[in-house]
DNA sequence: CTTTTATGCAACCATATGGTTGCTGATTAA
DNA sequence: TTAATCAGCAACCATATGGTTGCATAAAAG
């Protein structure tokens, strides 16, 4: 897996597509699903779906398993959590900064 | 502001670039900063920085204010929180699914 | 008033991205 | 065994993206 800690950009980029977000949402029900299944309701070709899944796998958002002739995909919630953590840190730093500003203002005579 | 609730894809796409993540991190200290300031340490042209800031503003991640001849940018933590919320929901749905699976397995004779 | 500073606008360029189609190979079903 | 299903590979295409340069404008500083 790539180093997402120091470069979450690729991870967010993988999330930055409506089709891929849909796939993730669909996979978040916990079920393993094949490429054909995942593409059933989508208005794009199977190959397009496969490419999207490749992108998701390349950043570790999904894991693939072969079973016979089909390939099953499952969500990797740890990677979702990594993205969440980055945003949480930004929010926390923001809150800290505002807190310090408030303290400074209140300490003025 | 665009409707991010039903289409967080554009929001994640805006986060999907290392330069923009750097800008966000830099802005998370709470200080308003100009385009020139934000681009000081970056190895790209001022126009490139301005374009990145346009992207961030177009999804509501930053807000711009004009002061004299310069334009100041400030982080919009509410939008960061929106992205975080989407990821949280995916995680929660995943946890629910696993919980139901566990209950089902344990209820088997 | 002249110069510097900070930004905006527009054209341009190379590459990435999201999509397609056609063909091939392997596995399951009839 | 033959037919249907699921996936992989490769080429191709249009548009988006991230970057550049050159010139213009407005405000602050000298």
């Amino acid at each position: 897996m790539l180093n997402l800690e120091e470069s979450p950009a690729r991870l967010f980029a993988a999330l930055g597509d409506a089709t891929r977000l849909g796939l993730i949402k669909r996979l978040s029900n916990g079920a393993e699903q094949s490429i054909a299944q995942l593409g059933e309701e989508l208005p794009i070709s199977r190959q397009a779906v496969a490419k999207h899944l490749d992108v998701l796998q390349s950043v570790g958002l999904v894991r693939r398993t072969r079973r016979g002739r089909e390939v099953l995909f499952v969500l990797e919630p740890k990677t979702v959590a990594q993205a969440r953590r980055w945003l949480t840190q930004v929010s926390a730093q923001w809150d800290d900064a505002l807190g310090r500003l408030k303290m400074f203002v209140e300490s003025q005579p």
Side-chain angles (χ1 to χ4, degrees), chain A:
Chain A
M1 185 163 39
L2 77 162
N3 189 341
L4 292 169
E5 285 305 333
E6 70 172 311
S7 156
R10 283 191 59 198
L11 175 51
F12 284 119
L15 294 168
D17 178 279
T19 301
R20 288 196 288 269
L21 285 188
L23 291 171
I24 288 180
K25 216 167 193 174
R26 178 153 180 177
L27 284 168
S28 67
N29 72 350
E32 285 188 327
Q33 288 165 80
S34 71
I35 298 179
Q37 278 180 306
L38 288 166
E40 262 168 5
E41 312 260 319
L42 298 178
I44 58 178
S45 70
R46 176 183 55 81
Q47 276 80 358
V49 177
K51 279 193 188 181
H52 282 301
L53 289 167
D54 279 349
V55 172
L56 292 177
Q57 194 213 359
S58 75
V59 299
L61 276 167
V62 302
R63 200 157 24 92
R64 66 192 298 155
T65 322
R66 181 129 224 160
R67 191 178 59 189
R69 77 182 150 184
E70 54 187 5
V71 173
L72 299 179
F73 286 86
V74 64
L75 189 67
E76 195 71 88
K78 284 193 177 182
T79 308
V80 176
Q82 283 186 7
R84 200 147 48 103
R85 206 171 311 134
W86 195 92
L87 296 173
T88 303
Q89 282 173 9
V90 166
S91 297
Q93 196 177 340
W94 172 269
D95 291 342
D96 281 6
L98 285 211
R100 275 195 296 277
L101 176 62
K102 186 160 173 283
M103 279 183 52
F104 172 76
V105 168
E106 287 172 349
S107 74
Q108 292 298 93

